[in-house]
Amino acid sequence: MLEEELLSVWLRLTSVIDNQRLAVSQTVPGGKAPLPFNEAMVCGLLYAAQASGESLTASGLCRRTRILKSQMNAILRSLESKGAISRRQSQADRRLVELRLLPEGLALYRESHRRSVAMAGRLIDEMGEERIRTLLPLLRQAADIFETIQQEV
């Protein structure tokens, strides 16, 4: 059945990409522990927000990532303990706590991003540019459709 085959390949692909051994090695330069997948994703979002002059809260990160609040709190506690982020009360709305990516977090994120780009480069090398260019619109369309389905549920 085509649905079963699609789900099987999709689950295999997502579990391989989210696998810590694939995303990171044992240490990063300076002997620091590497960022797990979700922590790297959060740092990337904070980096992009800060670069565009935005600020993000834990709730905003939950909306963007679709990570549960309890999981996000654990991710943020871990990043805070690593000196990667800080929390501060919003000047505009004292009820909100804004998150900031600190220089240590930026360094950890850049290393994680470098590894991800290298992994993507290897995929391009193995599959070929033409096949990847054919694949990208299909993956974008699949992601759009899944987002629509999720909003309907």
Side-chain angles (χ1 to χ4, degrees):
M1 187 160 164
L2 190 57
E3 291 88 353
E4 291 292 339
E5 188 175 351
L6 176 61
L7 284 175
S8 175
V9 170
W10 189 273
L11 290 172
R12 180 175 165 217
L13 180 62
T14 56
S15 68
V16 168
I17 288 172
D18 193 17
N19 186 308
Q20 295 304 322
R21 290 170 297 194
L22 183 62
V24 296
S25 67
Q26 296 301 332
T27 58
V28 295
K32 300 278 184 184
L35 289 178
F37 181 82
N38 284 340
E39 289 182 19
M41 180 173 52
V42 165
C43 285
L45 289 170
L46 290 172
Y47 173 72
Q50 285 173 215
S52 68
E54 259 186 281
S55 63
L56 284 174
T57 63
S59 296
L61 285 170
C62 287
R63 279 190 301 279
R64 289 184 186 200
T65 61
R66 295 181 179 90
I67 292 175
L68 298 173
K69 188 175 181 179
S70 59
Q71 291 173 299
M72 183 59 72
N73 285 333
I75 292 166
L76 295 175
R77 278 192 305 275
S78 176
L79 286 170
E80 205 168 20
S81 74
K82 293 174 182 176
I85 65 164
S86 67
R87 301 174 200 234
R88 69 174 187 198
Q89 200 167 24
S90 169
Q91 298 298 334
D93 185 343
R94 305 300 256 168
R95 296 170 297 173
L96 300 177
V97 175
E98 298 173 339
L99 302 166
R100 304 259 328 139
L101 186 64
L102 299 174
E104 177 70 17
L106 180 58
L108 288 168
Y109 167 70
R110 283 187 172 149
E111 177 60 22
S112 173
H113 185 69
R114 183 193 65 75
R115 292 169 192 270
S116 296
V117 168
M119 204 170 33
R122 180 157 177 203
L123 182 64
I124 293 167
D125 290 345
E126 301 260 341
M127 288 185 71
E129 247 184 76
E130 186 177 331
R131 291 175 78 187
I132 294 295
R133 290 191 191 285
T134 300
L135 179 62
L136 285 174
L138 296 171
L139 289 175
R140 281 189 197 101
Q141 185 179 12
D144 290 345
I145 291 168
F146 277 124
E147 281 182 346
T148 300
I149 290 168
Q150 187 174 27
Q151 290 170 1
E152 292 171 357
V153 175

